[in-house]
Amino acid sequence: MPPPPVHHPPPGGGGAPPGPPPPRLFELRRTVTALVEHRSAHDPTATDPLRGLYVSDEAVSRLLRTWSGAAADEDVPSDVLDGWPRDSDDRLARTAVRTRLTELDAAVLLIALAPDLDRTFEPLYGYLNDDVSRRRATVGLALDLCGVPAHLPEARARFHSSAPLRSFGLLTVEDAERPLLTRSLRVPDRLVAHLLGDDTVDAALLGLLRPMPEPPPAAGLDEDFVKRLAAHIGDGPGTVYLREHREGDALTTLAAALAAAGVDALRYSGPADHVPELLREARLGGKAVVVCGLPDRPGPMVEELTGAADVTVLLTGPRPYDPQWSPHDPLVLQAPRPPAGGAAAWRTALGPGADAFDLAGTVAPYHLGGERVARAARAAAALAVFDGTPLTAAHVRLAARRQSASGLEQHARRIQPDVDWEDLVLPEGPLGQLHELALRARHRDRVLGDWRLSAGGGRGRGVLGLFAGESGTGKTLSAEVIAADLGVDLYVVQLSSIVDKYVGETEKNLERIFTEADRTDAVLLFDEADAVFGKRSEVKDAHDRYANLESAYLLQRLESFDGIALLTTNLRANIDDAFTRRLDLVVDFPFPDAGQRLALWHHGLAHVPRADGLDTEPLARDFELSGGAIRGAVVTAAYLAAGRDEPVGAGDLLEGARREYRKAGRLVPGEANW
């Protein structure tokens, strides 16, 4: 080997000369030199000036002699061949059996595969094709090697796009502009890798496959349904559409059924464009396909998936199955609802830390699928570590609330509750009804579902309440307190986002809200509900007719609602009696008396710096203000005191109360006692 060249600095340059090449480069030079010498020693065309432009008979004879030698490549100074899987033929045979290829199909596949496994096939294929540039097998060459006449229709049909080799993605026929017999055959890289022992999924599916969740405890599932579904999966390839009540509910059931049947699955979440690669991956690995969340127009995707008769395909979605999606009807099943609370799945996911608090009561308001339960449990554990405290119910609530994704924010204002029962100043009657409302929200699945007290007729398991009372009496605050007690968010519906001047559009907007609320663990609040849930009237013109249609739609939709909805109104008499009949509770919020007003003044001033000896009893006695007005008076007083950089005094509170009276257009009481 010649010594490395000496590098001289460029003329006129003042920089240091470049260093010598890395030592590994010298090793590569030695290897290349040895390989060139090895090949040229046995290559009769080494000195031919046209070498590489054609394949001579002598070169072909030399290759054939090389093949007949026992170990012609043993002296090659390279270890590239070491470590190749010895079971590639077995994988090829298993693939042929799994995809039900004929003997001719399997032979054609092997012929097309050869140049990808041994490049000495390339010059020979070029020689047989009488074209040195066509170094892959062609349709005609494959048929010749198989001894099959090229004019037979059944032989040519094996290369049709609907034949197994091509429809299963095992073979690509290139050069469509050429006659059939001269078209090149190529085996996809993914199949080559699989046959060589590489089980890395197709690059086209990266980011589109997710792992299946761990099956939950048997106590958290309908064991009989899981057993029957597992038996169906184990009977052989087939297609099942599992309709779920809420997106994600069916995934844990499928995971349990697949585990019971001993079948691995590819869980796909992506567009229809990559379904061919998905089905090929399932065929290569002998796995089932699970598709959760079909696209808005699922027809083409469902038709392609259900048409794969050799692959077990499991589809899930909240929509009813439409026969127009595919001519190949799957087995359509209704996924069982998750059990009330799902405490067993939560306890398994949270581990020993779940025993430190009332887990069943904490997770009762949530209806998360098994995978989301696991993710919420991991998030709760991470929050506890960040806080440096043991796992608490607050951590679980916060993590579960974040897993309940919602599109409600497009139509409603989201409020993250920051209040509790101590913030309510109400008589015992309304306060007890509010506690009962929260109780109904927690145990509705048990009472209406497990105990079969639902009225039937397609009725949902929603909880509906009406809060009636004057403005400022605590209706919206009570809704926020209930949401906080349940550990969910509060969404206040914006009337401007649902009311539309065009006929039918308001109902469509309401349907979007109800549909999203059905799949979200949240409290839905219709403030000033009489604007939407008003009384129906006698039809005197077209306006009355369409207004009544809107009310009729709402009456029907409330029957099937599964979420938690609260309505507030200042004018209970304006609410249609038909709506009232469908409500679980009607809570009347009375105007506060003097004792309650005093408690409201104290509550409003709880965190405000006050002057010594400040007495709010005269304010509570002389100013008949609602809770909202008292809060407004306290805010006004706080600003006046902050401007002077002093604590809030009696004069500040008096001025705040007077302003609330003037805003309401009322006469301000005399100032004799002040």
Side-chain angles (χ1 to χ4, degrees):
M1 190 61 111
V6 178
H7 296 277
H8 300 281
R24 291 187 180 274
L25 191 57
F26 292 119
E27 297 298 328
L28 178 59
R29 286 177 177 175
R30 294 190 184 98
T31 303
V32 170
T33 300
L35 186 58
V36 169
E37 292 175 351
H38 174 82
R39 290 191 176 180
S40 62
H42 304 282
D43 188 356
T45 65
T47 59
D48 190 343
L50 298 180
R51 183 176 185 274
L53 298 181
Y54 74 102
V55 181
S56 65
D57 294 341
E58 189 177 4
V60 171
S61 299
R62 177 248 175 185
L63 287 174
L64 297 179
R65 288 196 303 271
T66 301
W67 281 5
S68 63
D73 286 333
E74 288 182 356
D75 298 329
V76 176
S78 172
D79 58 356
V80 174
L81 299 180
D82 292 343
W84 278 27
R86 305 302 180 188
D87 61 342
S88 57
D89 291 339
D90 293 338
R91 283 204 170 204
L92 179 59
R94 286 198 298 269
T95 301
V97 171
R98 191 177 294 133
T99 54
R100 302 175 185 176
L101 298 181
T102 65
E103 291 185 6
L104 178 58
D105 290 335
V108 168
L109 183 60
L110 179 61
I111 292 168
L113 179 68
D116 292 292
L117 303 181
D118 185 349
R119 65 180 184 176
T120 58
F121 281 92
E122 292 188 69
L124 296 176
Y125 281 2
Y127 180 82
L128 294 174
N129 287 325
D130 198 23
D131 186 346
V132 72
S133 65
R134 301 182 63 75
R135 302 165 73 85
R136 286 190 173 274
T138 60
V139 173
L141 175 58
L143 293 176
D144 289 343
L145 291 173
C146 293
V148 178
H151 66 274
L152 291 180
E154 55 270 24
R156 299 168 74 96
R158 308 317 300 170
F159 301 93
H160 193 270
S161 59
S162 61
L165 281 174
R166 295 183 63 185
S167 64
F168 291 171
L170 306 178
L171 186 70
T172 302
V173 179
E174 301 178 327
D175 310 317
E177 73 282 355
R178 286 178 171 269
L180 177 64
L181 296 180
T182 59
R183 295 176 187 174
S184 298
L185 304 179
R186 180 186 297 273
V187 177
D189 293 344
R190 176 63 192 101
L191 178 56
V192 176
H194 170 76
L195 296 177
L196 295 178
D198 184 359
D199 291 323
T200 305
V201 297
D202 195 302
L205 300 177
L206 293 178
L208 302 178
L209 295 179
R210 297 183 180 179
M212 291 291 293
E214 291 293 329
L221 295 171
D222 185 334
E223 295 184 51
D224 179 64
F225 183 87
V226 170
K227 184 184 297 184
R228 287 185 284 121
L229 182 58
H232 179 79
I233 294 173
D235 286 341
T239 308
V240 177
Y241 181 79
L242 198 59
R243 187 187 178 190
E244 52 195 356
H245 172 70
R246 182 183 287 198
E247 188 174 351
D249 286 351
L251 192 57
T252 52
T253 300
L254 288 180
L258 287 166
V263 176
D264 293 332
L266 298 172
R267 178 187 168 196
Y268 180 74
S269 298
D273 302 347
H274 300 298
V275 168
E277 291 87 350
L278 173 66
L279 292 174
R280 182 176 64 197
E281 197 69 38
R283 292 183 178 107
L284 294 180
K287 299 180 179 180
V289 170
V290 175
V291 178
C292 304
L294 297 174
D296 293 335
R297 296 182 178 179
M301 184 176 188
V302 173
E303 182 173 358
E304 189 169 6
L305 287 168
T306 55
D310 61 320
V311 177
T312 298
V313 177
L314 306 172
L315 309 173
T316 70
R319 286 181 287 183
Y321 177 78
D322 187 347
Q324 300 297 324
W325 290 348
S326 172
H328 316 286
D329 289 332
L331 174 65
V332 181
L333 302 173
Q334 181 69 44
R337 285 175 178 255
W346 281 94
R347 181 167 284 104
T348 300
L350 291 170
D355 298 328
F357 53 90
D358 179 14
L359 179 63
T362 300
V363 302
Y366 307 111
H367 297 77
L368 301 178
E371 183 188 28
R372 289 188 177 179
V373 167
R375 293 174 62 180
R378 291 194 296 268
L383 288 170
V385 171
F386 179 79
D387 292 340
T389 64
L391 185 69
T392 64
H395 293 136
V396 174
R397 289 194 184 100
L398 180 57
R401 190 162 61 234
R402 289 173 178 171
Q403 287 298 322
S404 183
S406 174
L408 281 172
E409 294 191 27
Q410 299 177 7
H411 308 283
R413 176 169 55 90
R414 176 174 173 265
I415 296 177
Q416 195 165 354
D418 192 22
V419 292
D420 56 30
W421 294 104
E422 298 297 326
D423 293 300
L424 288 180
V425 179
L426 290 172
E428 290 185 4
L431 191 60
Q433 287 182 296
L434 294 178
H435 280 285
E436 181 185 343
L437 196 61
L439 187 72
R440 284 175 177 255
R442 277 195 172 88
H443 300 292
R444 54 195 164 125
D445 286 327
R446 177 185 300 176
V447 173
L448 299 179
D450 298 347
W451 295 353
R452 294 177 170 270
L453 289 180
S454 177
R459 287 176 173 81
R461 302 180 185 178
V463 174
L464 307 174
L466 173 66
F467 296 168
E470 295 185 32
S471 178
T473 52
K475 301 185 295 297
T476 304
L477 178 64
S478 297
E480 188 175 349
V481 168
I482 289 176
D485 184 64
L486 297 175
V488 298
D489 290 330
L490 175 69
Y491 286 88
V492 182
V493 177
Q494 306 289 344
L495 295 180
S496 61
S497 67
I498 59 174
V499 177
D500 198 295
K501 65 179 180 180
Y502 294 105
V503 174
E505 290 301 315
T506 299
E507 288 87 340
K508 290 181 182 178
N509 293 334
L510 285 167
E511 177 61 28
R512 294 188 190 100
I513 291 175
F514 280 118
T515 301
E516 198 63 39
D518 274 337
R519 60 180 290 270
T520 304
D521 294 321
V523 173
L524 193 63
L525 176 63
F526 288 90
D527 209 1
E528 307 297 341
D530 46 289
V532 181
F533 297 83
K535 285 188 175 182
R536 290 167 289 182
S537 60
E538 182 182 353
V539 177
K540 297 180 179 179
D541 54 27
H543 298 287
D544 295 333
R545 177 188 176 192
Y546 289 119
N548 288 346
L549 283 176
E550 181 180 312
S551 297
Y553 159 77
L554 284 169
L555 289 170
Q556 294 176 349
R557 191 61 180 85
L558 288 178
E559 292 279 2
S560 60
F561 184 57
D562 274 316
I564 305 169
L566 302 177
L567 289 62
T568 68
T569 180
N570 299 341
L571 301 169
R572 177 178 172 180
N574 288 352
I575 301 293
D576 196 298
D577 292 338
F579 288 116
T580 305
R581 184 181 65 81
R582 287 165 170 79
L583 298 173
D584 294 298
L585 284 173
V586 177
V587 183
D588 289 308
F589 286 73
F591 195 87
D593 57 23
Q596 292 164 3
R597 293 198 296 270
L598 180 60
L600 288 168
W601 280 106
H602 288 166
H603 184 274
L605 292 167
H607 304 287
V608 179
R610 302 185 297 275
D612 294 337
L614 181 63
D615 186 10
T616 56
E617 185 174 357
L619 290 170
R621 182 185 65 245
D622 297 337
F623 288 88
E624 296 180 355
L625 297 173
S626 65
I630 290 175
R631 180 186 177 279
V634 171
V635 171
T636 299
Y639 275 115
L640 293 175
R644 301 191 311 270
D645 196 19
E646 296 177 357
V648 172
D652 300 322
L653 295 177
L654 177 60
E655 180 59 26
R658 287 173 174 172
R659 290 189 186 182
E660 293 300 320
Y661 256 51
R662 294 189 186 103
K663 284 195 298 184
R666 303 173 63 184
L667 294 176
V668 179
E671 303 179 5
N673 296 331
W674 297 89

